[in-house]
Every structure is written in structure tokens, then in C-alpha cells.
Amino acid sequence: EENMTVTEDFSREENTYQMEAEVCITFSDFGKMQTVCNLLIEKLGTSVTISPPHFFHTPEAIDTLRRQVCVAAVGNTRRKAQEVCRLFGQSLGKPLLIKEEETKEWGGHIDSYLSHSPDSLTLQERIQNATAYASCRVFAVFEMKGKENRRNKLL
């Protein structure tokens, strides 16, 4: 309910009263939004108008995306280092240095109104324009261990 605002307008026309209500809801789940819209249309029929959705990313969601991309980049770097170690008959040790060198973000805020009116875009185009992407470049230094040292420790 904290993600919902309701604006009501009552008016009188001759012997009848008319009420118009605008309900704005912020959803974090696309499926739930579709379910609510379908329910409103099913129950209220033509008396309800559903405006096209406006997609946006909260600062928290973008921050989570940045962290996930950085962690994935470190994981990819570690896996590549392990493959190189295997190639030379070594084993990968602990990380000595991990540094995030560059993070890029794009999408999620494309100004589509330059070529189209926002209302003329299809739902798929709206989703595509609102999709956020991120990449991260990391630098990592790992300790290398010889396999014979590992075998001796196990004995």
C-alpha cells in the first residue's frame, strides 16, 4: 500500500454523481502487475482504463546490478586463472589483489520520445528501452602453488 496513490474526483451532473479515480501503483514484479491489470479489466470492464506502464529502476536495483556484475567478473577471472594454472601444472592459490578497474552501465533510460511518442511504443519496446545493462572489468593477482607442494601437504 505504500507503493500506491489514489486520487479521487467527485462531480455532479444534473441528478447524478460521477466519481473518477486514478490509482497509481509501483510494482517490482512484472507478473504481479499483469495479474492486477487483468483482474481490474475483468471486474470493471470498460469502466476502467489502464495506461501503459512506465518502467524505471530504483537506485537500490542499479546498485545490486553493479555488485552482481562485479562479483561475476571476479568469478570469471578466477576461473580463467585456474585454467591457466592447470595448463602449467600449477594450482591456484588465494587472491593477492582484486581491483575493480572499470564499470560501465547502459540502457535503462533511453530517451525514446525523440523518435516515438512514449505512448506509441509497444510493451516489448518499453521493456527493451527500460532494460539496464552493466559490465565490469577487474584486475586480479592470484598466488600460484606447485602441485608437488600440495601433494606433500596431503601426505
Side-chain angles (χ1 to χ4, degrees), residues 4-140:
M4 181 173 67
T5 58
V6 178
T7 307
E8 297 173 346
D9 180 40
F10 289 98
S11 60
R12 181 176 178 177
E13 292 183 23
E14 296 181 15
N15 292 333
T16 63
Y17 289 93
Q18 181 177 339
M19 181 184 107
E20 288 186 25
E22 179 181 79
V23 179
C24 294
I25 305 172
T26 302
F27 290 94
S28 59
D29 181 325
F30 186 77
K32 189 178 270 188
M33 178 202 71
Q34 287 182 311
T35 302
V36 169
C37 289
N38 290 339
L39 179 68
L40 289 171
I41 290 171
E42 178 186 321
K43 298 295 182 188
L44 300 174
T46 58
S47 68
V48 67
T49 303
I50 305 223
S51 300
H54 170 73
F55 297 103
F56 66 95
H57 299 281
T58 63
E60 296 83 12
I62 294 295
D63 189 49
T64 298
L65 176 64
R66 282 186 201 115
R67 280 195 314 276
Q68 289 172 341
V69 167
C70 183
V71 168
V74 171
N76 290 339
T77 303
R78 185 176 186 279
R79 281 187 291 281
K80 287 179 184 178
Q82 281 179 320
E83 290 177 27
V84 170
C85 284
R86 274 190 228 116
L87 186 67
F88 292 109
Q90 304 288 314
S91 63
L92 189 66
K94 64 182 178 182
L96 302 173
L97 171 70
I98 297 175
K99 184 169 74 172
E100 184 178 6
E101 291 191 329
E102 179 182 37
T103 300
K104 291 183 182 177
E105 298 168 28
W106 66 98
H109 47 71
I110 297 171
D111 295 329
S112 58
Y113 61 83
L114 295 175
S115 58
H116 297 82
S117 137
D119 292 336
S120 70
L121 295 174
T122 66
L123 182 61
Q124 193 61 38
E125 289 170 329
R126 288 169 180 272
I127 292 170
Q128 186 175 358
N129 283 348
T131 301
Y133 301 92
S135 70
C136 181
R137 189 174 72 205
V138 297
F139 176 79

